[in-house]
Amino acid sequence: MERKHMSAFALYQTLPSDLPSPLQKPSEKVAAKKKKKKDDGAAAAKVNALKSQMKAEKKRTRKKLLKAPSREESLKANKNEKVGCVNELLDAVLTDLSKLNNSRERASKLFQWLINPIPAKSFFRDTWEKKPVFVQRKNPDYYKGLFSTAEFDCVLREEDVQYGVNLDVTSYTNGKRETHNPPGRALPFTVWDFYESGCSLRMLNPQAFSSTVWNVLSILQEQFGSMAGANVYLTPPGTQGFAPHYDDIEAFVVQLEGKKHWRVYNPRTDDEVLPVLSSPNFNEADIGKPILDVVLEAGDLLYFPRGFIHQGSCLPDAHSLHITISSFQKNSWGDLLQKLVPAALEIAMEEDVEFRQGLPLDYLTYMGVQNSDKEDPRREKFFSQIASLMKKLMNYAPVDAAVDQKARDFLHDCLPPVLSPDELASSVQGAPARWENGQVKDVDIHITTQTQVRVLRAGCARLCSDGNAVHLYYTTDNSRVYHKEELKSFEIKAEHTDAMEFLIHSYPNFVTVGSFPCDSVQERIALAELLFEKGIIHSAEPL
């Protein structure tokens, strides 16, 4: 008898609820495997019971939902530079930006393009961290080329996309938010089956797969001075993938295809304004009435600050594809002070005897929660001493060192720069060294005192000191996958620190190697060769 097809979603529903996700610890996986073995019989019975129900449900869903790209469509698209995903307008924007001499100016102009027609200056003054804003363009091609459903399909076919790592399958029905990730690789057959069954798809790090998204984020990170990340969301018509919640990031929702109904709500309390962490899922009864109720169509933009509750649902007549660009996670004054205050206290205790003097012998008898309602002059004196020490602590605060700690975190978060053709030709990444006719060719680089160089980007390298040595931290060897590589750095000789500062501060101008403030010609050339080999600098002309 012919076996009837069962959808991936139906099969997922039959799995034991304790099936380990790819992110579980090994010990948890072992325990889950043991329990799964025990429950196999029950799971099989559950499969049979759900077959007829899911068959009928899927038949209804297929009529309702937008079909996923067919294999023929994908193969046809692949013949034209993968999926023809670079739109001429966006390509022209990025090409024009690459011609700008200053990466900070490049970042400023790209951000202005993102939020047009709102002037960036007024956005940061009036809107940033304060309130949501909706930009309706009535131009469906404005963001076209940033990412597409066809490119989504291409990534599934050609890349190693893992559930829970690169892709989440989600649903939100009848007030219940669920994640349906099976273990292992997300193959097109299974993924599109989930989609047709009404599940939303969230690609967690599109910059690892899309050069265009990588380029955009690598530029914007200089605008924010903070990591720029992104998720892509593909939602079937008439469905919702996520419960109402707020995030711990500044969010720019860029509508790429179709349309989506968004509702945004004020923070519920002052404690939830600019929160440190994202929220759990909320019920409708928890969140009140929306302050913004809009439908985003392709080319539109929605911004909301961290702490603003939001939810998005697809209308019945169209699917939705959007990319959320995010930044400013853990980038507050408080996050800086978490690094600064412990260091200041350590220094103060080393250098100031007042911080090392003992507490009053009887302080436990009048301080603490159980004594907080007492009216005792000793409590006032105790608080006064604490206030005095806290004020004095500022004198020992190593502010620059704490900022450098934040900077190191940022450099580790950064995407590597996307090089223009000219930058590639004049840097180590495009050096002509090769194997040819049985021997190595063009392996030597010829740097002289007349060679003009500069750092690749305004923020791609930073000098930091740990008190014992000076290190140069840099982003040019970072991975497109978040924290796949360790933070890159190397120790800078004491005699090279002035030259390194000179080079960083000279950007965007090129300077001759001979102008480096080093003690000798040999030192100048040695430093330039080291920086060139690390990919931190490039020359005005190909070497």
Side-chain angles (χ1 to χ4, degrees), residues 3 13 23 31 38 64 98 118 122 171 176 200 219 253 260 262 264 312 345 402 407 441 470 501 540:
R3 185 177 180 181
Q13 296 285 63
L23 299 180
K38 182 179 178 182
K64 177 182 174 186
S98 71
I118 303 172
S122 64
S171 65
K176 185 178 182 182
S200 290
I219 296 171
V253 178
K260 201 167 203 177
W262 283 90
V264 183
L345 188 57
K441 297 276 191 178
V470 177
E501 286 184 3

Side-chain angles (χ1 to χ4, degrees), residues 408 411-412 414 417 459-463 471-478 486-491 530-531 533-536:
R408 287 199 294 271
L411 264 61
H412 193 196
C414 275
C460 74
R462 187 179 184 91
L463 281 174
H471 288 79
L472 185 71
Y473 295 84
Y474 59 101
T475 67
T476 52
D477 277 346
N478 282 5
E486 294 296 323
L487 177 61
K488 305 297 183 183
S489 71
F490 58 90
E491 187 174 343
L530 174 62
L531 296 174
E533 289 171 8
K534 295 286 187 183
I536 297 168

Side-chain angles (χ1 to χ4, degrees), residues 217-228 327-328 330-331 339 403-415 459-460 462 473-475 478 482-483 487:
L217 297 181
S218 71
I219 296 171
L220 288 177
Q221 67 194 6
E222 284 201 59
Q223 172 71 17
F224 297 123
S226 174
M227 174 188 168
S327 193
F328 252 58
K330 299 188 184 305
N331 203 46
K339 296 181 180 297
V403 168
D404 281 343
Q405 283 189 42
K406 283 287 293 174
R408 287 199 294 271
D409 292 344
F410 171 46
L411 264 61
H412 193 196
D413 293 342
C414 275
L415 286 163
C460 74
R462 187 179 184 91
Y473 295 84
Y474 59 101
T475 67
N478 282 5
Y482 179 68
H483 285 191
L487 177 61

Side-chain angles (χ1 to χ4, degrees), residues 504-515:
I504 290 172
H505 294 153
S506 294
Y507 185 87
N509 297 319
F510 285 92
V511 295
T512 63
V513 173
S515 67

Side-chain angles (χ1 to χ4, degrees), residues 157-229:
R157 294 178 184 283
E158 298 187 359
E159 305 288 351
D160 181 19
V161 178
Q162 293 287 319
Y163 288 111
V165 178
N166 313 113
L167 186 76
D168 283 331
V169 180
T170 70
S171 65
Y172 179 66
T173 54
N174 300 322
K176 185 178 182 182
R177 159 76 167 84
E178 292 184 281
T179 299
H180 307 286
N181 293 341
R185 182 177 171 185
L187 293 169
F189 176 83
T190 310
V191 172
W192 291 125
D193 215 352
F194 272 123
Y195 176 85
E196 285 205 316
S197 297
C199 293
S200 290
L201 307 176
R202 172 171 64 179
M203 185 172 287
L204 297 171
N205 51 345
Q207 62 272 20
F209 306 114
S210 166
S211 295
T212 305
V213 176
W214 167 30
N215 197 357
V216 167
L217 297 181
S218 71
I219 296 171
L220 288 177
Q221 67 194 6
E222 284 201 59
Q223 172 71 17
F224 297 123
S226 174
M227 174 188 168

Side-chain angles (χ1 to χ4, degrees), residues 31-48:
K33 277 185 179 179
K34 289 180 179 177
K35 189 166 192 318
K36 180 183 179 297
K37 199 170 183 181
K38 182 179 178 182
D39 292 343
D40 275 346
K46 200 174 180 182
V47 169
N48 293 328

Side-chain angles (χ1 to χ4, degrees), residues 433-442:
R434 64 196 182 281
W435 178 266
E436 186 178 286
N437 297 327
Q439 58 183 330
V440 174
K441 297 276 191 178
D442 296 330

